[in-house]
Amino acid sequence: MLLPGYGGGSLADLPGALLAALGVPEPARPENARLTLAPADSVCLFLVDGLGADLLRAHPEAAPFLSSLTARTLTAGFPATTVTSLCSLGTGMTPGEHGMLGLTLAVPGTGHLFNCLRWSLPGGQSMDPEQWQPAKTVYQRAAEAGVRPSYVAPAEFENTGLTRAVYRGVRYLAADTVDERIARVHEALREPHAHVTVYYGDLDAAGHMTGWGSDEWLHQLAVVDDMAARLAEGLPPGSALYVTADHGMVNATEKVDAEQVPELMEGVALLGGEARARHVYTEPGAARHVLEAWAETFHGKAWVVSRQEAVDSGWFGPRVREEWLERIGDVVAVPHDGLAIIAPSRHRIEALFTGYHGSMTAAEQNVPLLEVRP
């Protein structure tokens, strides 16, 4: 198990370091913070979905530019999944502070699961992004300090619930193709005191469907490498480009359909999270029984703990806000090695994946922090 290094080199520590590099004081940032970046007039953060540090090191031939850069390694945080990491990057807080504690989470008191990526509830119900994630974002703080924050990403993500939850305060620059994204980034960086984030998601998509290391995945890694090199070519003097990711990935070597194992579903009210980070919500009085059944079934294949043990062990950070506690499963099941715990009737597409993430293995937790300066 690789516990996230909150406070000493996780994605939650990066936003404060970027603002500090731009000269923006961060009251909550400790003076002895171990993640420090050199001062810059402007910064660009290239966020590559699924670019694990261990995965990149395994294929330097497909990414010669990225592999030539000086690299530091950060941890994603738990769970190692997009919604959690984006919120850590968007707030500078640990998951236990910002409350985006998994892909699908119980909405306390409703009996419903909320998909934080699609921002969807059963029956067409809606969720207010500012209610689910009320913390001020780093982009709002940057704008208040005179920095111009911009976010470059596909048009389909603009004004989604997730974007409104984690990117409040940015100027959204819609750009669908690689060429469009590079052009929008270079345009934004020409403005003084710019803070530009650009997102690329196709590497993660290829990994999910065909596995990391597949021909399709390697093709996407080469696209990412070329994109990073072209972003670097257009950096103005005094600026800096940082490349990082939201999580890594493993390829499944075993799948267990929890819905087809009666002892796993007995006493279970809701099955949330995702295949590598399951939040198991139990019926009243059934938590102990469910914990024992899951621990026995997955002995030697997964870390299976109670909510309290996960919180006390610091999986979600040093502190979990009391109002977020019931978003965490009564039981948390986190596979290691190549196990994926699937639930096809609930998550049909996920059950078909080859590549997965969410757990606390090095391949999923470790993400690169690469730096380029003109």
Side-chain angles (χ1 to χ4, degrees), residues 1 3-4 6 78 96 305-321 325 328-330 332 360:
M1 176 183 292
L3 285 173
Y6 302 115
F78 180 76
V305 301
S306 67
R307 171 193 294 153
Q308 194 61 53
E309 186 176 349
V311 170
D312 291 346
S313 299
W315 288 11
F316 303 101
R319 184 177 83 93
V320 177
R321 290 176 57 176
L325 284 172
I328 301 171
D330 297 283
V332 184
M360 287 186 284

Side-chain angles (χ1 to χ4, degrees), residues 69-339:
L69 303 177
T70 301
R72 284 183 271 187
T73 301
L74 306 178
T75 50
F78 180 76
T81 197
T82 299
V83 294
T84 303
S85 293
L86 290 189
C87 203
S88 295
L89 286 168
T91 63
M93 296 178 177
T94 62
E97 292 282 357
H98 61 61
M100 203 82 81
L101 298 158
L103 174 61
T104 54
L105 300 173
V107 181
T110 69
H112 296 309
L113 284 174
F114 174 50
N115 187 307
C116 300
L117 186 63
R118 297 190 182 94
W119 213 260
S120 61
L121 279 164
Q125 301 175 75
S126 62
M127 175 68 72
D128 181 352
E130 294 196 31
Q131 177 184 348
W132 189 256
Q133 196 301 96
K136 180 181 284 189
T137 69
V138 293
Y139 313 108
Q140 289 171 311
R141 301 201 299 270
E144 291 170 357
V147 174
R148 189 72 184 272
S150 302
Y151 181 60
V152 181
E156 66 178 303
F157 301 142
E158 188 172 6
N159 295 319
T160 64
L162 179 59
T163 296
R164 289 162 56 201
V166 305
Y167 288 112
R168 286 195 296 272
V170 301
R171 174 182 51 165
Y172 197 103
L173 302 177
D176 292 325
T177 69
V178 167
D179 288 346
E180 288 170 346
R181 275 176 247 187
I182 292 170
R184 298 309 294 270
V185 168
H186 289 162
E187 177 185 336
L189 283 174
R190 286 196 289 271
E191 299 177 354
H193 222 38
H195 183 316
V196 185
T197 302
V198 56
Y199 172 82
Y200 188 79
D202 290 357
L203 181 72
D204 179 69
H208 279 308
M209 299 314 300
T210 62
W212 82 270
S214 66
D215 289 345
E216 293 84 350
W217 187 88
L218 289 170
H219 169 72
Q220 285 298 326
L221 180 58
V223 172
V224 167
D225 192 66
D226 179 68
M227 187 173 174
R230 292 171 64 191
L231 287 170
E233 288 173 0
L235 290 176
S239 64
L241 168 67
Y242 293 96
V243 183
T244 193
D246 51 351
H247 54 74
M249 185 171 285
V250 297
N251 292 339
T253 56
E254 178 185 5
K255 295 183 182 182
V256 172
D257 181 350
E259 297 171 325
Q260 298 303 313
V261 184
E263 54 267 35
L264 290 180
M265 299 308 295
E266 184 179 349
V268 173
L270 296 169
L271 187 57
E274 58 193 290
R276 297 279 295 176
R278 282 288 173 208
H279 286 279
V280 186
Y281 304 93
T282 66
E283 296 171 352
R288 176 184 281 273
H289 168 76
V290 172
L291 176 63
E292 291 173 351
W294 280 66
E296 180 179 353
T297 301
F298 295 116
H299 178 71
K301 297 182 178 181
W303 300 291
V304 180
V305 301
S306 67
R307 171 193 294 153
Q308 194 61 53
E309 186 176 349
V311 170
D312 291 346
S313 299
W315 288 11
F316 303 101
R319 184 177 83 93
V320 177
R321 290 176 57 176
E322 185 174 354
E323 56 265 48
W324 305 152
L325 284 172
E326 292 186 10
R327 295 183 181 182
I328 301 171
D330 297 283
V331 175
V332 184
V334 183
H336 44 75
D337 298 325
L339 173 66

